[in-house]
Amino acid sequence: MPPSASKALVLISNLRHPNSASARQLCFLRFHLVYRCGSNPSLIYPAPDQSVYPENLKLYWHKSIPDVDRYWVDVAVDQAFNFALPPDSMVTDTTKTITGLENNKSYYWRVRAHNAGGWGPYSDVRKFTRDITSVEG
């Protein structure tokens, strides 16, 4: 976690506390810096409503800012993500391979970024369909 995201205890010396006769008494100042959550990622591939061939598909998105340390990737068979594949919240790159996709089935996917400020908002939701007939012929 970056130092800017954690609580800090700062020692300031040579200040006079209002209730102290000694100018050398130490005062402590406690503050908390706010760190902005990661921005919502911009999805790259597959494009919206795209038919894809491979059973094991690699999803791609643009890097989020600031200082993202991992991504959460959701893939589901419904747009509300009620029937989702197990989510992966430990993706450290801007790609994720999804395995075992069924033919002639549509899937929805979304991504969100994490940094010292917490989880950011989800990306837009995209739909793709695995269709092995799209490359036959």
Side-chain angles (χ1 to χ4, degrees):
M1 178 183 308
S4 61
S6 62
K7 287 187 179 179
L9 185 63
V10 178
L11 175 66
I12 303 174
S13 63
N14 296 323
L15 292 178
R16 182 181 171 116
H17 190 275
N19 298 330
S20 170
S22 169
R24 297 289 298 166
Q25 180 172 344
L26 302 178
C27 296
F28 293 91
L29 173 65
R30 182 178 288 208
F31 63 96
H32 182 74
L33 295 176
V34 177
Y35 202 79
R36 189 171 66 100
C37 294
S39 60
N40 57 328
S42 175
L43 306 180
I44 301 172
Y45 177 84
D49 298 310
Q50 184 173 357
S51 292
V52 297
Y53 174 73
E55 180 181 352
N56 300 323
L57 177 68
K58 198 166 197 175
L59 306 174
Y60 293 89
W61 58 92
H62 290 286
K63 184 176 181 175
S64 296
I65 54 172
D67 303 323
V68 171
D69 58 9
R70 67 183 187 262
Y71 295 92
W72 179 295
V73 180
D74 283 332
V75 178
V77 295
D78 67 311
Q79 195 167 5
F81 291 84
N82 293 319
F83 303 99
L85 302 174
D88 188 347
S89 64
M90 298 305 292
V91 178
T92 57
D93 197 0
T94 55
T95 64
K96 167 73 177 164
T97 301
I98 306 300
T99 60
L101 297 174
E102 296 179 34
N103 189 34
N104 296 322
K105 192 167 207 171
S106 293
Y107 294 89
Y108 297 86
W109 69 293
R110 63 186 180 184
V111 179
R112 65 181 177 165
H114 181 273
N115 65 11
W119 288 104
Y122 277 107
S123 66
D124 292 336
V125 174
R126 281 203 184 165
K127 174 183 152 187
F128 66 89
T129 303
R130 177 161 187 257
D131 181 7
I132 61 172
T133 61
S134 65
V135 294
E136 292 179 357

